[in-house]
Amino acid sequence: MKRVKMGALAALLSGTSLLALAGCGTTTPTTTAAPVKQHTLVVIPGLNGAFADNFNPYSSSALSGTLGLIYQPLFYFNLVGPQVYPLIGKSYQWSNGNKTLTVTLRPDVKWSNGTPVTVNDVVYSFDILKKFPSLDTSGIWTHLNSVTAQGTNQVVFQFNSADVPFGQFVLDDVYIVPEKIWSTYANPATVTNPNPVGTGPYLVDSFTAQAYTYKANPLYWGGEPKVKKLQYLDYSGNESATLALASGKIDWTDLFFPHINRVYVSKDPQYNHYWFSVGGTNMLYPNLKNPILSNLAVRTAR
């Protein structure tokens, strides 16, 4: 599964919109504020050439936004901090010597077609990786023994051994799909999924090989996004993308720009900004079979 993080963009899109109301005095008639003009957020997702109509969350060539804006995992983990953000999952707890992970689902989450998300959908989303091992690119089932529903709002993950560090991949790296739809596909790897049904904040609005758009999902559990529409454009070269960014024709991109302060920020320092996101994390796993490192006092020593 292609691991794509859309948390930063999703956070931006859920910002508060500006409201205005005019009128004061005892005899002033009631007035209605003029509607705030909605700006379409314009994005260059990369230099990919013509777009292919592919919103399959299991495909390495799925269009940008498929993961995060349409489909969501149970939780989102900040790669550079301790924050954990509940998405479809509400909370989780380890037990049984850290071999059992129990997730309680967020209540009242709906698919974008209006049907409720169930524990069976979550269990199925993991079972499909077991049935089609080529989709299990994170090796989820090399660590898990079983995934089962517990009641109507909990999912229990049994690990082969105590495996807290890998729990993050289980919670954060598997995108949940509706069983009723995906169970009808003989081979989910080959589906292009042009009309995706997910739990994320956006829906597919239109598609062409040169541009595709998302619109706000009115059924999103986190509330309908304030930014109502996103437009993704196809650019074939860095030079044309740089010119579009510097001239204000696009709002967001993750492309590399040489001399970005000169070619972009200097054009409008008040509004033109950038930051370098983290592409991954470095992890250190102690060998607990080592008689020294197996001693907790040694591992926690400062």
Side-chain angles (χ1 to χ4, degrees), residues 30-258:
T30 300
T31 59
T32 302
V36 178
K37 183 178 180 180
Q38 290 290 335
H39 171 72
T40 297
L41 189 77
V42 183
V43 180
I44 298 180
L47 304 178
N48 303 308
F51 294 128
D53 194 358
N54 182 0
F55 296 95
N56 182 347
Y58 298 110
S59 171
S60 61
S61 57
L63 289 169
S64 182
T66 300
L67 302 183
L69 298 184
I70 296 178
Y71 294 99
Q72 296 182 313
L74 294 169
F75 295 85
Y76 178 85
F77 285 74
N78 182 357
L79 295 180
V80 294
Q83 296 86 355
V84 180
Y85 300 94
L87 297 177
I88 298 174
K90 178 183 179 181
S91 62
Y92 63 89
Q93 184 174 4
W94 288 94
S95 61
N96 186 30
N98 291 334
K99 291 191 292 185
T100 302
L101 177 62
T102 302
V103 173
T104 300
L105 302 186
R106 182 187 295 274
D108 302 325
V109 177
K110 292 183 178 180
W111 297 109
S112 54
N113 63 6
T115 60
V117 174
T118 69
V119 290
N120 292 331
D121 291 318
V122 177
V123 172
Y124 174 80
S125 299
F126 283 86
D127 284 347
I128 197 173
L129 302 181
K130 187 176 184 179
K131 184 177 180 180
F132 299 93
S134 64
L135 304 181
D136 189 12
T137 56
S138 294
I140 297 296
W141 282 100
T142 64
H143 296 256
L144 289 178
N145 178 266
S146 66
V147 180
T148 57
Q150 181 171 275
T152 60
N153 69 334
Q154 289 186 318
V155 178
V156 179
F157 300 88
Q158 296 289 352
F159 286 75
N160 296 323
S161 60
D163 211 349
V164 171
F166 195 80
Q168 175 179 332
F169 290 90
V170 170
L171 298 174
D172 177 84
D173 216 41
V174 176
Y175 289 78
I176 309 305
V177 298
E179 179 185 16
K180 186 174 182 180
I181 294 174
W182 284 85
S183 61
T184 64
Y185 301 139
N187 185 353
T190 63
V191 176
T192 58
N193 196 32
N195 300 299
V197 174
T199 60
Y202 285 91
L203 312 171
V204 175
D205 186 39
S206 64
F207 173 85
T208 69
Q210 292 74 41
Y212 61 96
T213 61
Y214 293 116
K215 62 181 179 181
N217 178 7
L219 301 180
Y220 182 50
W221 58 262
E224 186 174 340
K226 302 301 181 182
V227 177
K228 302 302 181 185
K229 186 167 287 190
L230 317 177
Q231 183 181 49
Y232 285 64
L233 299 180
D234 165 37
Y235 273 73
S236 58
N238 239 68
E239 184 176 352
S240 59
T242 300
L243 291 173
L245 183 69
S247 62
K249 293 181 179 179
I250 62 172
D251 303 305
W252 183 285
T253 186
D254 61 357
L255 295 177
F256 172 73
F257 290 104

